[in-house]
Amino acid sequence: MQTEIIRLTDPCTGDDCCRILHKSGLEIRVMEMSGFSTAYAQFGTKFGSLHRRFRSGDDGTVTALPAGIAHYLEHKLFEKEDGDTAVLFDAFGASSNAYTDFDRTVYHFHTQQHFDEALALLLRFVQAPYFTPETVERERGIITQEILEFLDDPTDQCFHRMLGGLYRNLLFAPGVLGTAESIQAITPALLHECHRQFYNLHNMVLCCAGNVNVQQILDTADRVLAPAPPMTAQIIAPQEPDAPAEAFCTCQMPVGKTMFSLGIKSRPVSGTERLRESLLASLTLDILIGSAAPLYQRLLHEGLLGGTFDTDCFAGDGWFTVIAEGESDEPQAVMEAMFAERERLLTEKPDETLFAALKKAAYGDSILGMNHPEDACSAMTDAFIWECDSPFIRTELLAGLTVSDVQQCLLTRFRPENACLSVIAPE
Amino acid sequence: MPEAYPEKRIGSGIRYTEIRDEKFRSCLLSVQFCVHRDAASAAIHALLPDLLTASSAEYPSVAEMTLRLELLYAADFLGKLTLCGDDAVLDFTASWLDDRYALEGEALTDEMLSLVIGALLHPNAENGAFCDPEFRICKQNLLDDIDCEQNDKRGYTLRQAAGLAYQGTPAAIPPHGTRAAAKKITPEAAFRLWQEILRTAAIEIAVVTPAPKPQIALRFAEAFRAVPRSPLHFCFDAPCIAKKTVSVQEERLPVGQTKLAAVYRYDSIPREVMLMLCSILGWNSDALLFVNLREKQSLCYYCCLQHSRSKHTIFIDCGIDAADLNAVRQEIDAQLKAVQNGDFTDEMMEKSVLRYACRAAADSDSAYDTAAEMLGRLRSGDLRTPQQMTEALRQVTRAQIAEAAKMLQPDSVFILRAEREEAEDDAD
């Protein structure tokens, strides 16, 4: 296989992105950003906390994984025989870290100098696992403390309980970290197996942005990366019904005011369609209950909503959810008002002035979204995980959205029967 | 590369600084009002940033203000309160797309200047009082924020530790003020205090822009000409007062993880020495606290260190098992002792310098951080650029760091003890 380079240009800003299909099997995306002094790099794999069952390409065996293993693997990859890899990044003046999400694990660094050396280190350390029973055991105490912190966080709990209520089979619960019990089952052998199956270069992406140079990155990749064998492991994704597992869930925690997270699930989509639908759903949320919307103004005046309120569209491989969350003494009333407003907007048309203003705002966000190396790097990683070839299609997709699309979105993606309301009440 | 133009006075006690950097596609404007705090005013200070950015005379509701900002291509206008020593800073930051990106040729900078100056000098008020319902809503939000202070257990622990360490001084007043004081705020009192702030606060204005924007200084100068200014003096340094014994306070909460925050104070340590000490003790990847408490002993997931330059304190905090409390406190002491003994490597010192340089470079790639860095320099009076500070860090010796560590005096400890964890231990 030969390395192939595809150049993409943003028609609005003139930004260039190089999409490189490297001969090793790795996809590399690069944005050279003139004037910036820092270089960012993210090396990610499509292996996250939701990936809990897979069929091995070697012999077809199906393996079930304990909750939290992707995150555990992320922690342990930094540790090598001679110590913590983060310390080696420090020596280059680079700041490194990693995160695990539902659908990915990403290792990253940024630096002002020694970019080549730091990039080579990133590529090498992520590909070279070193696990011993002692080091794996030692991590259990650290991650248990991280889990305890997560369990004490009411915002996280409210959100995750909502996802658990919405999705019957997709394993959002117990969260990315797993539980103190589930991580007991994690062994060096299991970590090695996950690494072998999912840290295959064909399943990964390297994104670099800022003060970087395409040739410099290619040279490092050529030097460090060996061709990977074909990716044969298959994630077994559970089938998810349309209806939520439960419409309401509640618990008590030491909070000052009742918190809620309302999620509404709908048909998942992939690739460019997912990006378009996410943009449309975010716009629709703003028209329905964003801070410029009449409903938000009314709920604010009636004291049903306070300063802590937000909306989001949360979508991935196999899920699509619109979310409204915040604090309210009457979350049920907020939900009912939202669905009543949906009915109104389906009958009467959404306000054209508000729609035009929100489209302008989304355009502004798109222009600014690539004006920082870290944001550009993350946008390229997102595009890869979402199977979009270009990170520059937002403005084009936005331009095509109409008020009728908003009504269609309200109809299909805001169905009351597909909602789950999660509430955390004060103890 | 950013190019800073010398700051200038555009009014009595009003300093204006412009930084130009072509790489940015947006403009950022930060207007900061430095004010003295006391028990009565603290809650109003906490209310004003939200109140003044929620609406104005021209855009008299949250919906109208938001719609205007959306029409300006998702421009931002946000207010926040930060504490600085014994004083507070009311910070109003606006950012907007540079004019060249406007699809319909709108003069975005002029429009945003009108919006910001309007909100600050012509707020949503009538007859000497802020108008309802916006006032009532913002006041309720403030009361909710106070009621929800315990939601974030780590933040709560740090705030309680600060209250303990700074007892008897304005810095001990909670950031949102007390509930009783917040409850008493009237639209008239809030408006009166805002008018007083306009007259007496030290005002810093910083702009980060890809192209010259002379109209910003001109319009602020013009707007403040109508305000009878008599600015008060503000002091960046307000050191934590030494105590005879270490204050220890504990609170129980039905949570799973115990949190600990330990405060240390010092009299006088040069900034560059303090930066090196903090890096070696708590900020680097191989910082002594991280390596020993987390990596070697698995006592915690995080063990963080924060430095308050104006209060001359450091805060060390972590989330732990209650059963490990003594072990954790001993280990923190042991690592501090190690620094006092000079028990750290040359490599750790070199990495501290590199870490600072990397962070300074990253700051220069963000308009917000560029403005914050410049304003921090001006407020503290330490005008050294990040490059000059990097050079100063290189000159710091091991002996200076060890000596500085010996000057750190244990001051206060706050423990948020997990009741749920204890109950489970008892059941076992």
Side-chain angles (χ1 to χ4, degrees), chain A residues 45 47-48 65-80 98-100 105 107 125-126 128-131 136 139 143 176-177 183 186-199:
Chain A
T45 173
F47 179 54
L65 299 169
I69 193 162
H71 171 256
Y72 210 107
L73 180 54
E74 173 228 303
H75 269 232
K76 286 323 302 168
L77 263 189
F78 274 94
E79 188 163 351
K80 303 294 178 219
Y99 69 88
T100 307
T105 309
Y107 302 81
F125 101 82
V126 173
Y130 170 78
F131 311 127
V136 171
E139 203 67 23
I143 294 181
V176 168
L177 309 178
I183 62 169
I186 294 171
T187 61
L190 210 46
L191 290 172
H192 270 295
E193 182 59 4
C194 287
H195 187 274
R196 188 174 74 85
Q197 298 286 357
F198 298 107
Y199 283 61

Side-chain angles (χ1 to χ4, degrees), chain A residues 15 35 37-38 87 90-91 93 113 138 142 145-146 152 255-257 291 297 307 360-361 363 367 371-372 427, chain B residues 23 25 61 63 66 70 74 101 106 141 144 147 151 254 256-257 285 295 298 301 321 351 354 358 361 364-365:
Chain A
D15 286 340
S37 52
T38 320
V87 174
D90 270 3
Q113 44 192 322
R138 199 169 52 228
I142 297 168
Q145 287 303 325
E146 193 179 357
D152 284 344
V255 292
K257 195 173 166 79
S291 47
Q297 188 77 1
K360 264 190 169 181
Y363 164 81
I367 302 290
N371 196 212
H372 188 276
E427 284 187 327
Chain B
K23 68 177 174 251
R25 292 178 183 154
S61 71
T66 309
E70 303 285 34
Y101 291 103
E106 302 99 314
N141 289 347
D144 289 348
D147 290 341
N151 286 12
Q257 187 181 61
S285 296
E295 297 295 289
S298 304
Y301 167 61
D321 270 341
K351 282 179 195 163
L354 282 171
C358 178
S364 76
D365 282 346

Side-chain angles (χ1 to χ4, degrees), chain A residues 30 39 68 75 78 93 97 151 155 181-182 194 205 208 213 216 234 238 243 245-246 252 259 271 318 402 418:
Chain A
V30 184
H75 269 232
F78 274 94
N97 210 333
L151 292 173
T155 310
E181 293 73 34
S182 74
C194 287
V205 70
C208 304
N213 172 281
Q216 176 191 19
Q234 282 181 319
E246 50 188 346
Q252 289 187 318
M259 304 173 83
T402 64
N418 289 349

Side-chain angles (χ1 to χ4, degrees), chain B residues 232-278:
Chain B
L232 298 172
H233 177 70
F234 291 84
C235 185
F236 179 81
D237 254 9
C240 175
I241 299 160
K243 296 180 182 64
K244 285 187 182 141
T245 55
V246 177
S247 302
V248 181
Q249 195 177 304
E250 191 171 311
E251 192 176 322
R252 286 168 185 265
L253 213 61
V255 290
Q257 187 181 61
T258 294
K259 306 256 196 265
L260 164 81
V263 188
Y264 297 79
R265 62 167 296 281
Y266 60 88
D267 287 326
S268 178
I269 299 173
R271 185 176 166 221
E272 58 273 24
V273 178
M274 205 55 208
L275 285 172
M276 292 293 281
L277 193 164
C278 291

Side-chain angles (χ1 to χ4, degrees), chain A residues 5-26:
Chain A
I5 302 178
I6 304 152
R7 287 187 190 274
L8 305 158
T9 303
D10 186 335
C12 291
T13 58
D15 286 340
D16 281 324
C17 169
C18 252
R19 185 169 168 238
I20 303 163
L21 309 175
H22 191 256
K23 59 189 176 189
S24 62
L26 181 68

